[in-house]
């Protein structure tokens, strides 16, 4: 039996009435307006991982989601994202999906399988495309599909959809967006054909229309066909709005049930889902299509809290909202919203560090703020049969995770924090323009401390004797900034990044930053911005990145017009090479582009010769230069803070190191939270 949604008590109105209104599709009804959007996890690629995939989706279905879309499955080998990636083409492949669909249906949700042909984005030598044009993000050059090859590909889509139905799916989502094969046929920039599949807009959209039409023929009238329509391409020479409208109408006529919004191509140089993007920044483009079609439309991208989703629906901008990563972060997002408890939601901060970065590095996806995501069968927070007294020292991300998971399991936990607030350096990170979402994680941890009964002692640095008698001691004491030794390191101009971000030092108009890792980039972003953060102001954000706020220009692009920088900044690193090369796989380019917009001078292979009253003397590419700076901000790495560790060795209680106290590695919150959660799960 499906799990019921939580009942509300008294006569209080439902907090989000539009979000929880059922959606009647005629032949089936979706219980609410929440779509769990497609996201590849890595569990789709091997049959042995399907039990884990079923558990992953089941937890989200039990958490109240209305409709789920799987990660992408290729309809044939040519469409693989990578060698031996997920594919659905044979009956025996369909049978293994029954465990996934049964698990979702047991909790009252619906599920669609996404059909995705990578086209020229495929990372293998068998790739094909409408024309022989290599993608700028791929080393492989595709083979141009012949006319017979086009027909075979359409047939493969219809066959895969039929097999999806046999596997128990309620429908399919046809990926016609994000620069994949169908999108490549639609766009004149990637389709140079002169046959019936290229040339005019009508010919270029024929491939997409035929796929939808033949899926409807193969699967019958009572099968969901969701089409992911590229509404805003964010690439030069992208589709004009009248072409997008014509495509939507043709897709509707071909038999689609729902149209989902697609934003951007993977080769776009505009961020679309990362933390700096304002919430619901692209909902207006979905609203712009509503007068032209009668199908339900889905708004997507950076919708992560119930009030945002409710406002989109209440304003009539869409009929559903799509969330993928927010349901990685909190599988019970929907239930908590339905109960009117948004403060209990573990909010997605759109960092990409454990989800997309993992997928693009060929490892299983997870979530920085929820390490159980995609590991539901392995990381289990089971109630303990033997409660212990546990002391956790340090209320940064690692300490917070360890304390709350341990308390959830039934242990008696005391959390000590030297400062007057929880969060550690997350509090400083939240001050960086574009990282305001980090405050949501701290809000959630504050709620979890109350909910799980953790005893919190702020402004307290425990002495060893204070910790005597605890069964387990966890040191999550974080890091200390690494000291530097270049000439003049003790000059008054030289300051630490902690003092700058905390507001204890306000740097002058010209600043050099020593260290170009993640902290250096964050400090640079902090120093060059003045006034409102673009992440909190969609109009300002679109101006900075060159997005047409009316979404009328071809591809949605206009020339970027960033505000002038608040300071002149030099970002320096000793190691040779491009600064920022080791930043996140899917977000590093955003950080580099942000600083480029603000005219930050970025240099690698720098020798630091000394700081004096006249500035900072350095050697860059063999040339000695004097940077006339007012301040030098040191971001040269960290060292574990283990000052308490040695003193605890004689107490007789096990002492564990987690987070930065264990390994100081660029304030790696992903590793810290996962490590601390796993420790708490086995204590």
């Amino acid at each position: 039996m499906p799990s019921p949604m939580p009942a509300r008590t008294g006569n209080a109105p439902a907090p989000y009435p539009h979000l929880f209104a059922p959606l009647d599709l005629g032949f089936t009804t979706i219980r609410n307006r929440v779509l769990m959007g497609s996201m590849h996890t890595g569990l789709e690629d091997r049959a042995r991982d399907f039990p884990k995939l079923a558990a992953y989706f089941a937890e989200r279905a039990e958490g109240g989601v209305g409709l789920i879309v799987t990660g992408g499955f290729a309809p044939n080998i040519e469409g693989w994202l990578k060698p031996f990636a997920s594919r659905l083409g044979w009956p025996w492949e369909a049978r293994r999906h029954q465990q996934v669909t049964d698990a979702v249906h047991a909790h009252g949700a619906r599920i669609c399988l996404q059909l995705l042909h990578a086209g020229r984005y495929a990372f293998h030598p068998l790739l094909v495309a409408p024309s022989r044009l290599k993608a700028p993000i791929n080393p492989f050059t595709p083979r141009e599909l012949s006319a017979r090859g086009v027909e075979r590909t359409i047939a493969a889509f219809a066959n895969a959809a039929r097999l999806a139905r046999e596997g128990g799916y309620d429908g399919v989502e046809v990926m016609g967006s994000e620069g994949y094969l169908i999108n490549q046929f639609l766009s004149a920039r990637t389709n140079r054909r002169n046959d019936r599949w290229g040339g005019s807009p009508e010919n270029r959209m024929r491939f997409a229309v035929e796929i939808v039409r033949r899926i409807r023929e193969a699967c019958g009238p009572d099968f969901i066909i969701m089409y992911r329509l590229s509404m805003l391409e964010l690439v030069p020479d992208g589709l004009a709005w009248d072409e997008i409208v014509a495509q939507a109408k043709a897709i509707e006529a071909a038999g689609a049930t729902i149209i989902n919004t697609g934003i951007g191509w993977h080769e776009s140089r505009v961020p679309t889902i990362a933390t700096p993007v304002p919430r619901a920044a692209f909902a207006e483009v979905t609203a712009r299509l509503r007068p032209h079609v009668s199908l339900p439309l889905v708004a997507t991208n950076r919708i992560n809290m119930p009030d945002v989703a409710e406002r989109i629906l209440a304003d009539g901008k869409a009929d559903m909202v799509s969330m993928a990563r927010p349901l990685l972060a909190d599988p019970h997002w929907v239930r908590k919203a339905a109960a009117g408890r948004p403060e209990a939601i573990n909010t997605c901060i759109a960092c990409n560090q454990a989800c997309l970065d993992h997928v693009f590095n060929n490892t299983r996806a997870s979530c920085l703020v929820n390490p159980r995501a995609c590991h539901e069968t392995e990381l289990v927070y089971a109630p303990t049969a033997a409660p212990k007294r546990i002391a956790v020292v340090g209320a940064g991300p690692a300490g917070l995770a360890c304390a709350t998971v341990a308390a959830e399991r039934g242990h008696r936990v005391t959390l000590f924090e030297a400062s007057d607030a929880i969060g550690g350096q997350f509090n400083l990170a939240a001050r960086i323009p574009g990282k305001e979402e980090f405050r949501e994680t701290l809000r959630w941890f504050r709620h979890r401390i109350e909910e799980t009964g953790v005893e919190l002692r702020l402004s307290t640095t425990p002495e060893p004797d204070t910790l005597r008698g605890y069964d387990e001691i966890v040191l999550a004491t974080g890091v200390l900034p690494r000291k530097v030794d270049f000439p003049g390191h003790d000059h008054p101009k030289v300051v630490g990044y902690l003092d700058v971000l905390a507001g204890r030092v306000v740097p002058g108009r010209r600043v050099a930053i020593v260290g170009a890792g993640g902290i250096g980039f964050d400090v640079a972003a902090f120093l060059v911005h003045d006034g409102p953060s673009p992440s909190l102001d969609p109009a300002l954000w679109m101006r900075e990145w060159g997005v047409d706020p009316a979404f009328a220009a071809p591809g949605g692009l206009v020339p970027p017009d960033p505000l002038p920088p608040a300071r002149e900044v030099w970002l320096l690193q000793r190691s040779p090479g491009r600064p920022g090369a080791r930043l996140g796989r899917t977000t590093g380019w955003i950080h580099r582009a942000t600083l480029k917009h603000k005219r930050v001078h970025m240099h690698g292979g720098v020798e630091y010769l000394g700081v004096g009253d006249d500035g900072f003397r350095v050697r860059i590419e063999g040339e000695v230069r004097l940077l006339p700076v007012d301040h030098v901000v040191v971001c040269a790495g960290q060292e574990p803070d283990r000052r308490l560790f040695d003193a605890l060795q004689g107490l007789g209680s096990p002492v564990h190191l987690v987070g930065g106290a264990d390994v100081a590695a660029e304030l790696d919150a992903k590793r810290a939270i996962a490590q601390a959660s796993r420790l708490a799960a086995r204590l």
Side-chain angles (χ1 to χ4, degrees), residues 584-662:
R585 177 78 179 267
T586 61
T587 56
W589 70 271
I590 301 173
H591 299 305
R592 291 188 291 269
T594 298
L595 298 192
K596 186 177 179 180
H597 287 167
K598 297 297 185 180
R599 302 194 292 275
V600 172
H601 313 286
M602 293 181 271
H603 300 284
V606 179
E607 182 181 356
Y608 308 132
L609 302 179
V611 179
D613 292 343
D614 54 351
F616 190 16
R617 200 171 303 276
V618 297
R619 182 178 285 112
I620 301 175
E621 296 181 352
E623 177 188 353
V624 175
R625 296 173 55 182
L626 177 66
L627 307 182
V629 297
D630 304 301
H631 284 93
V632 176
V633 182
V634 177
C635 306
Q638 304 82 31
E639 297 173 348
D641 183 356
R642 298 178 183 169
R643 290 173 292 182
L644 188 57
F645 182 74
D646 292 338
L648 295 175
Q649 297 308 299
L651 289 185
S653 300
V655 181
H656 310 272
L657 293 168
V658 295
D662 180 35

Side-chain angles (χ1 to χ4, degrees), residues 17-18 50 58 93 174 188 222 269 274 281 291 314 332 349 353 367 407 434 440 505 535 554 585 589 623 635 662:
H18 297 84
F50 270 48
E93 292 173 327
V174 178
D222 57 343
R269 294 293 89 185
H332 299 281
I349 60 175
Q353 291 180 32
C367 178
E440 297 285 3
V505 173
S535 300
R585 177 78 179 267
W589 70 271
E623 177 188 353
C635 306
D662 180 35

Side-chain angles (χ1 to χ4, degrees), residues 16-72:
Y16 308 107
H18 297 84
L19 190 61
F20 290 99
L23 179 61
D24 185 358
L25 299 178
F27 57 87
T28 191
T29 299
I30 300 170
R31 62 186 175 188
N32 55 51
R33 303 303 176 102
V34 179
L35 168 70
M36 180 178 175
S38 173
M39 203 185 86
H40 205 75
T41 66
L43 295 173
E44 302 87 354
D45 299 330
R46 301 289 181 270
R48 65 174 180 267
D49 287 331
F50 270 48
K52 297 175 184 176
L53 186 65
Y56 161 71
F57 283 132
E59 188 160 339
R60 275 80 192 160
E62 192 275 333
V65 172
L67 177 62
I68 291 171
V69 181
T70 70

Side-chain angles (χ1 to χ4, degrees), residues 83 138 144 153 177 267 368 402 459 524 609 619 636 668 670:
N138 197 342
E144 180 176 312
T153 304
S177 180
E267 61 201 73
L368 182 147
C402 188
S459 303
L609 302 179
R619 182 178 285 112
D668 188 351
K670 177 186 72 173

Side-chain angles (χ1 to χ4, degrees), residues 248-520:
K249 290 180 176 179
I251 291 298
E252 179 177 23
T257 316
I258 300 171
I259 290 180
N260 194 0
T261 301
I263 303 293
W265 288 33
H266 285 302
E267 61 201 73
S268 170
R269 294 293 89 185
V270 176
T272 57
I273 59 173
T275 310
V277 180
R279 292 181 177 184
F282 303 110
E284 291 295 339
V285 75
T286 310
R288 195 165 184 239
L289 186 64
R290 283 202 97 195
H292 302 286
V293 293
S294 59
L295 297 182
L297 298 183
V298 184
T300 189
N301 287 46
R302 290 289 286 123
I303 302 166
N304 65 349
M305 286 300 279
D307 60 325
V308 179
E310 175 70 14
R311 187 165 60 249
I312 291 169
L313 298 170
D315 291 348
K317 295 177 181 177
D319 303 281
M320 293 189 79
V321 291
S322 174
M323 294 179 289
R325 296 170 306 157
L327 291 159
L328 274 181
D330 195 330
H332 299 281
W333 190 104
V334 179
R335 283 183 169 275
K336 293 172 182 178
R341 298 174 60 233
E343 72 282 356
I345 291 174
N346 190 4
T347 306
C348 169
I349 60 175
C351 66
N352 288 4
Q353 291 180 32
C355 50
L356 294 183
D357 281 0
H358 278 207
V359 171
F360 280 92
N361 285 320
N362 291 319
T363 57
R364 193 193 313 181
S366 189
C367 178
L368 182 147
V369 299
N370 175 26
R372 287 195 69 246
C374 303
H375 296 77
E376 287 78 11
T377 62
E378 301 148 87
L379 182 54
V380 179
Y381 302 154
T384 181
K388 297 179 179 180
R389 288 189 70 218
I390 298 175
V392 179
V393 183
L400 290 165
C402 188
T404 54
V405 170
E408 176 187 341
R409 296 186 55 228
H411 294 299
R412 300 186 301 277
V413 181
T414 304
L415 177 60
F416 298 91
E417 168 55 40
S419 73
D420 61 358
I422 68 167
Q425 295 197 42
F426 246 45
N427 290 300
L428 301 180
R431 300 192 65 196
I432 308 301
K435 289 192 171 182
E436 292 83 4
E437 292 285 13
F438 282 48
R439 296 191 181 100
E440 297 285 3
T441 301
L442 299 183
R443 179 264 309 152
W444 179 73
F445 271 125
R446 284 190 288 270
H447 172 80
R448 288 287 290 159
I449 287 170
E450 286 188 28
E451 186 178 51
T452 60
V454 171
E455 180 187 353
L456 176 63
R457 298 187 187 177
L458 296 174
S459 303
T460 303
T461 302
E463 296 296 330
D465 281 347
T466 308
L467 301 176
R468 193 179 301 276
Y470 284 95
D471 300 305
E472 307 274 353
I473 300 170
V474 180
L475 294 187
T477 43
V479 298
L480 298 169
R482 183 178 294 130
K483 295 179 180 179
V484 293
D485 59 359
F486 53 75
H489 68 272
D490 54 352
H491 193 280
K493 287 178 180 283
V494 181
V495 298
Y497 71 90
L498 292 175
D499 290 325
V500 171
L501 295 180
R504 293 187 291 268
V505 173
V506 179
R509 304 298 297 178
R510 293 172 296 184
V511 181
I513 298 172
V514 171
I519 297 173

Side-chain angles (χ1 to χ4, degrees), residues 34-314:
V34 179
L35 168 70
M36 180 178 175
S38 173
M39 203 185 86
H40 205 75
T41 66
L43 295 173
E44 302 87 354
D45 299 330
R46 301 289 181 270
R48 65 174 180 267
D49 287 331
F50 270 48
K52 297 175 184 176
L53 186 65
Y56 161 71
F57 283 132
E59 188 160 339
R60 275 80 192 160
E62 192 275 333
V65 172
L67 177 62
I68 291 171
V69 181
T70 70
F73 284 80
N76 56 23
I77 289 175
E78 295 167 328
W80 273 340
L81 284 164
K82 61 182 181 180
F84 306 104
S86 52
R87 173 180 175 268
L88 181 57
W90 299 102
W92 60 84
E93 292 173 327
R95 287 193 288 272
R96 70 177 65 132
H97 286 264
Q98 196 73 52
Q99 61 190 304
V100 174
T101 56
D102 285 350
V104 170
H105 292 151
H107 295 289
R110 300 284 183 265
I111 184 168
C112 292
L113 178 133
Q114 188 188 73
L115 295 176
L116 184 154
H117 191 303
R120 72 176 193 160
Y121 282 171
F123 206 80
H124 59 76
L126 302 178
L127 72 171
V128 297
S131 299
R132 194 177 185 277
L133 297 170
K134 188 172 82 68
I137 58 174
N138 197 342
F140 298 104
T141 299
R143 172 175 57 85
E144 180 176 312
L145 275 169
S146 66
R148 288 183 62 189
V150 173
E151 291 285 354
R152 284 196 300 269
T153 304
I154 294 171
F157 270 95
N159 175 63
R162 179 182 56 79
L163 292 173
R165 177 156 196 159
E166 291 181 10
Y169 287 97
D170 301 285
V172 293
E173 178 179 70
V174 178
M175 173 51 96
S177 180
E178 268 84 329
Y180 292 112
L181 180 72
I182 295 175
N183 212 168
Q184 293 161 24
F185 267 92
L186 290 161
S187 177
R189 72 193 302 267
T190 48
N191 184 344
R192 308 289 175 79
R193 304 174 72 97
N194 55 17
D195 60 3
R196 65 192 298 262
W197 306 104
S200 68
E202 294 75 18
N203 282 356
R204 284 186 274 112
M205 76 173 65
R206 179 174 284 118
F207 182 66
V209 171
E210 279 299 297
I211 286 172
V212 173
R213 185 181 68 79
R214 294 194 204 178
I215 289 175
R216 180 57 71 203
E217 286 179 356
C219 297
D222 57 343
F223 189 70
I224 298 171
I225 301 177
M226 186 183 310
Y227 184 81
R228 188 80 164 267
L229 178 71
S230 188
M231 293 191 202
L232 187 68
E233 300 197 299
L234 300 176
V235 290
D237 304 316
L239 291 176
W241 182 249
D242 59 346
E243 292 181 87
I244 293 168
V245 170
Q247 181 193 163
K249 290 180 176 179
I251 291 298
E252 179 177 23
T257 316
I258 300 171
I259 290 180
N260 194 0
T261 301
I263 303 293
W265 288 33
H266 285 302
E267 61 201 73
S268 170
R269 294 293 89 185
V270 176
T272 57
I273 59 173
T275 310
V277 180
R279 292 181 177 184
F282 303 110
E284 291 295 339
V285 75
T286 310
R288 195 165 184 239
L289 186 64
R290 283 202 97 195
H292 302 286
V293 293
S294 59
L295 297 182
L297 298 183
V298 184
T300 189
N301 287 46
R302 290 289 286 123
I303 302 166
N304 65 349
M305 286 300 279
D307 60 325
V308 179
E310 175 70 14
R311 187 165 60 249
I312 291 169
L313 298 170

